[in-house]
Amino acid sequence: EAADTLREALPKLLRTPSPPCVPLPQPELLHRLDKPTSGLILCAKTQAALLVLTRAFADRNVSKSYRAIVRGHLEGSGEGESPVHG
């Protein structure tokens, strides 16, 4: 049976946490990171994870880093400090 939404699909796609973790009735969608770049969906499977992740976002304690996959030859290396825009 196909799921119509991500919220419906997650319980079918994710494994249930192992004891001693207590699973939420259903994985909780928390945040879509960097939507303009296709992003990443962050969800919690346990109440403990939900509390920690919610607090981290509320307190702005989440940092992100990216890696680029380059086709062809790249000379040297480096880091970029520019914001990611869509």
Side-chain angles (χ1 to χ4, degrees), residues 11-81:
K12 298 172 186 171
L13 297 171
L14 298 175
R15 291 188 298 198
T16 302
S18 301
C21 296
V22 178
L24 292 168
Q26 168 171 321
E28 184 72 32
L29 295 172
L30 287 169
H31 203 286
R32 179 160 185 186
L33 303 170
D34 302 317
K35 184 177 178 180
T37 62
S38 296
L40 173 80
I41 304 293
L42 182 64
C43 66
K45 298 192 303 181
T46 67
Q47 185 67 34
L50 180 63
L51 293 173
V52 169
L53 292 169
T54 299
R55 171 142 319 193
F57 277 99
D59 293 346
R60 302 177 96 33
N61 288 332
V62 175
S63 64
K64 302 171 241 174
S65 62
Y66 303 85
R67 292 185 182 219
I69 298 173
V70 179
R71 184 176 189 179
H73 181 72
L74 179 66
E75 295 196 22
S77 64
E79 292 186 16
E81 297 291 328

